Amino acid sequence: FQRLEYNLKLAARLGPLQGTLPKIQSDIARRQERAETLTLGQAIQAWLKYCDSSEIVDTWTPDLFDFSIRMTFTLESDAESRRAHAAALSALLDTRNDLVHTRLARFPWESPGDCDSLIRDLGAVNAAISEQLEYVTSLMTQIVVAQKEHAEAAMADFEAAAQPMPNPSLERP
């Protein structure tokens, strides 16, 4: 559960960024700070909210005196896939809360049969966690790769355009 919570806290930082560079840097720092304090349930809600936000509300006004930047990534998938992901995360949260707050506190640890059953149950829980981790990690990886490739391509184009262009009229034989 800890790794799932950690990864969802990282994913909860996502969202549109817009404004001047100092504002964006401040927003990123604030998101990182906020994400560190989230519980598993809150991280799940933040992640699912990001996944479901397919439409960007355009109420942004660029700064009149400084360059403004606007950046967002929108995840698009079929509604059934999103519902299944949300249901799986919700079930994992319920399982975690049941384990931590009731089941393990009242568990008959001296019963070998109950311990074997718990081990089987936890194996299934770990498989479900791994499946959701794989889903979230693959989406996050695609976002990072797309952003990195876009930035690298833009920088290469910029560097190529910044090279001095030969001016034959100024060259002497």
Side-chain angles (χ1 to χ4, degrees):
F1 285 107
Q2 288 176 332
R3 196 167 70 184
L4 179 63
E5 181 177 331
Y6 177 78
N7 284 9
L8 288 172
K9 285 179 177 183
L10 293 176
R13 297 176 182 181
L14 293 174
L17 293 169
Q18 54 195 21
T20 62
L21 184 58
K23 181 186 180 307
I24 287 176
Q25 290 169 329
S26 171
D27 288 350
I28 290 170
R30 193 171 29 258
R31 286 180 190 182
Q32 288 172 336
E33 215 173 88
R34 182 184 148 269
E36 290 172 5
T37 65
L38 297 176
T39 64
L40 177 60
Q42 292 168 329
I44 288 171
Q45 288 175 349
W47 167 244
L48 293 176
K49 181 180 176 187
Y50 175 76
C51 289
D52 287 338
S53 62
S54 60
E55 196 172 308
I56 300 167
V57 179
D58 193 5
T59 59
W60 176 58
T61 304
D63 190 283
L64 297 175
F65 304 105
D66 201 355
F67 290 105
S68 295
I69 301 168
R70 184 178 203 176
M71 181 174 44
T72 188
F73 284 95
T74 303
L75 298 176
E76 294 184 10
S77 64
D78 65 290
E80 183 54 37
S81 174
R82 285 193 316 268
R83 274 195 293 278
H85 179 56
L89 288 175
S90 178
L92 283 170
L93 179 62
D94 290 344
T95 299
R96 181 244 176 235
N97 288 342
D98 178 55
L99 281 168
V100 170
H101 298 297
T102 53
R103 188 171 176 194
L104 294 179
R106 299 179 187 156
F107 191 79
W109 295 102
E110 57 283 335
S111 168
D114 287 336
C115 288
D116 290 341
S117 177
L118 178 63
I119 290 169
R120 279 190 304 278
D121 292 348
L122 292 177
V125 169
N126 283 334
I129 289 171
S130 293
E131 184 178 319
Q132 294 311 306
L133 272 171
E134 185 178 318
Y135 183 86
V136 172
T137 301
S138 71
L139 290 174
M140 293 294 294
T141 300
Q142 289 177 29
I143 289 171
V144 169
V145 167
Q147 188 272 338
K148 182 179 179 190
E149 287 175 355
H150 175 68
E152 288 173 352
M155 192 62 188
D157 290 345
F158 177 76
E159 288 173 350
Q163 296 297 317
M165 300 195 53
N167 190 341
S169 64
L170 296 178
E171 293 178 11
R172 296 184 186 191

